[in-house]
Every structure is written in structure tokens, then in C-alpha cells.
Amino acid sequence: MLPPHPSLTRAIAEWLPGQRWFGGKDGPVDDLSIGTATELRTGDPALHHLILDVHQNGTVDHYQLLLGVRRHLPDRLRHAEIRVPTDAAPDETDGPGGRKARLYDAAHDPDLTRTLLDELAADASVGPLRFRHADGAHIRTDLTSLPITAEQSNTSLLFGDAYICKLFRRLSHGVNLDLEVNLALTRGGCARVPAVLGWIELDPGPAPGGETALPGAPADAPAGEPVTLGLLSDYLHTGADGWSLAIASVRDWFAHTPPPRDAGWEGEWAELDASAAGGDFAGEAERLGAATAEVHRALADAFGVAALPAGEVRAMAARMNAELTATCRAVPELAPHAKALTAAFLDLAARAEPLPVQRVHGDYHLGQVLRTESGWTLLDFEGEPARTQHERRALAHPLRDVAGMLRSFEYAARFLIAKPGTMPPEPGGRLETRAHAWAARNRAAFCRGYAAAGGPDPAAHSALIRAFEFEKAVYEVRYEARNRPAWLPVPLKSLAHLTA
């Protein structure tokens, strides 16, 4: 039995800000209401699917919650409990048999999440919820789930070693890009993405006026489209993420001691060849570049290619420069690099010519790729979380993704330096010198693999790739200054090398 709304909404409103995936931590919850409540399983435990309408700072965001209800909450689920206020009326929280209902986030309960597989396998519809499986997909229903706790904005459930189900916590209006892109690539036979097996969506209902499935939609929200709630894909259980592999390579490189040039030159190294240490990552970086080019071709085939006029390229360069000016005001540490950055943006404007644009990844870095037995796989095509759905769906030149990965190599090279207590200090900035050597080697390898596999050669588009990378670096400086001040030296030291 689901408790009445007054106690339920109050309990959720107090619990919600403490969740890692909640995006409104910068202000109080002004109001919370339940947009839809769908019973997926009766009895004890019971499962209810809720869409939460959360009001903050004059806007409404929508969140998805799988709400579990039990008479007795086992110890293994106490960390997921949604505590009902102690002053709730006695009859407000009565559960089966007159006992107090215990509420919790059911994404952590394998007894209840198996219901998702049952409904997906059946291609079922329950109230406004639609469970869809891909053509030809056979979905097992005998698997137990385990939530991945490392994620921030979403929650993913591992079902055995077969499936991964991503539950989108903060909902976007219309079809989620991760589903849209991965489903198109799966149907096109692209082997560089996990195959889509099914998805969960909120039906928009009758839309005579073109309204969307969620209230409060922005003007550019797609009308009449279902809202994506979850995505079921093959789980690549043998995969290792690119970030972890790169960090292991950097750690090995930092542990390697190059020979001194001679005894009289204390500390001067005869060479700074990052391939000299074990765990060299350059071969993998080159293969990753080739895989990236392959996915870009598949995206072009699936969604087409358009031309961005030269005037729009100049406008893009002007926006980059305006963002630089604003960031320099907010973060004065960036100012010493402003002249070189402005020159790069002006150079792009001066060379402006029509550019081919297409769908791209949009938030490409080493954490978005997996190395499996069969090679590199690309994940998470949602785009940058801070951007609107319209901005994330916009076409772009594929070198924008390349620039994102180049920035990721810069971050991987300096991660161990920036993390307090990880590396002992070395005199004369040697670790920074070694970080630059590692980044330069792997950047070159990635670009070489990308060009050899048919992608636009970064070396032949130097003004464009430089502008894209500097734009990303400016974004990094602004982000670090606001959220992780201790990390601000990472993009700044990278810029010191790149603008020299």
C-alpha cells in the first residue's frame, strides 16, 4: 500500500537532496509533487514507479524514482531508506496489516528490479509506462541486479554478467540521446557500441495541442515524443575503462627513472621517451583513434551530414572568444593565456569556410570508452549534461570529439600530480615535464590512428582542432574554479605547454 501523498512527498523532499544523482544541490527544494505514480508490483514488497516534479528557483525538473514499500526493511536495504517524518499522522504511513510502511529506493532491491526485465521481455504497457524490446532481442528474466554505485547523474543496474540497465534519474523532454544514438548505431550494425536490447519510456498520451509527456517543457522541447526512462544494453563484462588504463600507464611512467645524461648534470635526463617504461599506452591510444573514426562514420551514415556555412563558423569563433573573456573575468589565473587563446579563435574566424557537420558523441573522454576483448567500445552518447537537449542534439564537426579526447589525455597525465598525497614531489617541476611527455605521445598516437582510419586528419585542420581544444580548456578552467579549485592547475599547466 502506497502511503498518502502528504507524508510521501514530504519524506521524498527531505531525502532527495542527499542523493548523488540529484542535480539541484545548489538550492532548496521549493516544492515537490508526484506527476505520475504507477504500481508495478503489489504485495510485500511492493514496487511503484514515480515521476517527481521538483520545483526549484522558478523552474521544474523531473526525476524518476522506483519506490519500494515493505513492512520489514532488511539490513541490506537500510542505506536506501526514505524515512517518513516522525510527526506523520498514524494512519498516513500504514502499510499492509496496519504496520508502518517502510519506504526506500528500490533500485537497490534485486527482489523488485527483476520486474523491469519481466516487463521488457513481455513488451508490456503498464499505465503510462511502455516497456519495449528491440527487434529480435531475447531478454532473460532470471537475473539478479546489482547497482553500480560510482555513477553520479544516473543509476545503472547490472543484471548478472549479461545486461546493464541505465535508469535516467533526471529526465529530459523527449527521447534521450543515449537511446536515440545507440539504437540507430545498433540497427546499423556498428560493433563499437553495446547492443541495445530494450528501453523504458513514458507515453506522452494524447497530444492534440502538441504538449510533451512532462509538464513545464521548454519551447524547444520535442512535442509528442515519449520520455526515455531507461535503456537496457549488453553488458561488456570483460571491459576496462580507458581512464583506468591510462592512469595505470601514467603511474608506471612516473615510477620509471630515466638514466641521467652524465654524472655532472644532476637530475638532467638523457631522454623523456614515455615508451621507455612498461605499460605504454600509445598502441591503445592509436587503436582508440581508429575506433573513434569508425563510430563517426557510422553516425554520419545513420543521421546524415550537413554543411555549416562560413558565416556560422565565424559566429562560432566569436562565441568561443566571448566565453574566454567572461572566464578570464571570473578566473584571473587564465588571463596570462588569453592572448594566445584569442589568437587561435581569431585564426579560426579568418580561415572560415563551410564545414561538414554531423551527429557526434558530444562529451568524449577516456571515461566514456571501454577496452574489451574485441577492441574499444564507445559509451554514453547523452552529450554534456550542462547543455540543453537542443544543444546536445546539434550537429558538430567530428574534430570536436577529437579535441575532447585530447583534453582527456592532458587530464590523465596530470591526475596523479593533482591528487593530494598520491605522488611525492620532485624538484624542478619534473613530474609536470614527464606528464607533458606522456600526454604528447598519446595525443599523437590517437590522432594518427584517427586519421589512418579515415577521420579528418587533425594535422590538416590545425586551426580548427586548436580552437576546439582551447574552447574545451576554457570550459575546464571555469568548471575547476567553481567545483574543484585544487584541480585548477591541471588545465592551466596544460595550456602553458599548448600555447608556448
Side-chain angles (χ1 to χ4, degrees):
M1 176 179 178
L2 190 66
H5 280 193
S7 62
L8 177 60
T9 55
R10 181 177 169 190
I12 295 174
E14 293 179 358
W15 168 83
L16 192 62
Q19 307 312 301
R20 286 183 301 172
W21 42 262
F22 180 60
K25 293 185 175 66
D26 57 344
V29 173
D30 300 321
D31 187 36
L32 184 147
S33 57
I34 297 176
T36 67
T38 306
E39 188 174 57
L40 293 176
R41 172 172 160 165
T42 60
D44 184 15
L47 177 62
H48 301 264
H49 182 280
L50 306 184
I51 301 294
L52 309 175
D53 301 336
V54 181
H55 299 253
Q56 286 186 290
N57 303 318
T59 63
V60 182
D61 286 316
H62 308 279
Y63 289 86
Q64 173 178 203
L65 174 63
L66 293 177
L67 183 72
V69 184
R70 286 178 177 262
R71 293 172 61 185
H72 302 283
L73 196 65
D75 289 343
R76 62 184 174 83
L77 293 174
R78 290 190 185 277
H79 70 284
E81 184 173 10
I82 302 172
R83 296 186 180 277
V84 176
T86 56
D87 60 349
D91 62 345
E92 280 193 330
T93 58
D94 283 351
R99 304 183 65 90
K100 295 294 184 184
R102 305 292 292 274
L103 311 179
Y104 60 100
D105 182 357
H108 299 269
D109 188 352
D111 294 340
L112 292 179
T113 54
R114 188 177 288 117
T115 303
L116 303 179
L117 293 185
D118 291 335
E119 304 293 2
L120 284 166
D123 212 41
S125 296
V126 185
L129 305 183
R130 304 290 179 261
F131 296 83
R132 299 293 180 242
H133 60 66
D135 294 341
H138 171 72
I139 298 175
R140 293 174 55 186
T141 60
D142 60 339
L143 301 174
T144 299
S145 72
L146 177 69
I148 298 176
T149 58
E151 288 193 81
Q152 298 290 328
S153 57
N154 301 307
T155 298
S156 286
L157 307 177
L158 297 183
F159 285 96
D161 62 356
Y163 310 140
I164 183 167
C165 180
K166 181 190 287 189
L167 297 174
F168 300 105
R169 292 291 197 163
R170 188 178 186 177
L171 301 176
S172 301
H173 294 272
V175 177
N176 188 281
L177 289 179
D178 210 18
L179 170 61
E180 180 182 16
V181 173
N182 274 296
L183 186 58
L185 294 178
T186 297
R187 288 170 172 168
C190 179
R192 295 293 183 182
V193 297
V196 173
L197 302 172
W199 62 95
I200 310 168
E201 61 189 24
L202 180 68
D203 192 280
E211 62 267 17
T212 59
L214 298 178
D220 61 355
E225 281 192 3
V227 173
T228 307
L229 303 174
L231 171 62
L232 186 74
S233 305
D234 278 337
Y235 175 53
L236 307 175
H237 63 278
T238 64
D241 70 274
W243 176 260
S244 298
L245 295 174
I247 295 302
S249 173
V250 174
R251 183 180 286 111
D252 188 75
W253 167 231
F254 282 173
H256 172 70
T257 304
R261 188 168 293 176
D262 60 53
W265 289 40
E266 183 179 352
E268 287 289 334
W269 295 325
E271 46 77 25
L272 269 180
D273 180 5
S275 68
D280 182 25
F281 191 70
E284 291 296 347
E286 187 167 350
R287 286 185 281 273
L288 177 58
T292 304
E294 183 179 334
V295 171
H296 280 163
R297 286 197 304 275
L299 286 169
D301 290 342
F303 295 100
V305 178
L308 187 69
E312 289 297 318
V313 177
R314 286 190 287 270
M316 178 177 67
R319 289 192 296 270
M320 293 176 177
N321 206 41
E323 188 61 33
L324 168 64
T325 300
T327 304
C328 284
R329 284 197 298 265
V331 189
E333 294 91 337
L334 181 60
H337 306 292
K339 184 178 180 179
L341 299 179
T342 296
F345 300 148
L346 293 177
D347 186 39
L348 174 62
R351 299 168 182 253
E353 58 183 21
L355 287 179
V357 290
Q358 61 170 80
R359 293 291 283 273
V360 297
H361 185 284
D363 187 26
Y364 199 44
H365 54 78
L366 286 163
Q368 306 281 43
V369 294
L370 285 180
R371 182 62 168 90
T372 71
E373 294 174 341
S374 59
W376 285 102
T377 298
L378 279 61
L379 310 172
D380 298 333
F381 287 81
E382 289 184 78
E384 291 181 336
R387 299 193 183 276
T388 67
Q389 184 88 334
H390 177 74
E391 290 172 326
R392 284 182 277 163
R393 190 176 264 117
L395 306 183
H397 194 280
L399 287 181
R400 186 179 288 278
D401 277 349
V402 172
M405 187 57 71
L406 296 183
R407 296 304 308 156
S408 193
F409 284 123
E410 297 287 337
Y411 261 70
R414 294 167 176 84
F415 172 78
L416 297 175
I417 304 174
K419 193 174 181 181
T422 303
M423 297 295 300
E426 286 194 18
R430 289 178 181 173
L431 282 179
E432 170 58 29
T433 302
R434 298 178 77 163
H436 175 64
W438 185 93
R441 174 173 175 77
N442 287 283
R443 287 162 57 96
F446 177 84
C447 291
R448 185 168 58 248
Y450 183 77
D457 187 355
H461 299 80
S462 57
L464 184 60
I465 190 71
R466 190 173 178 83
F468 281 150
E469 186 173 0
F470 284 172
E471 178 192 31
K472 186 70 171 180
V474 170
Y475 167 85
E476 293 165 358
V477 166
R478 184 175 68 253
Y479 178 87
E480 303 300 6
R482 290 176 177 173
N483 299 281
R484 300 185 299 187
W487 281 65
L488 184 56
V490 173
L492 291 176
K493 287 182 178 179
S494 168
L495 282 173
H497 284 292
L498 296 176
T499 59

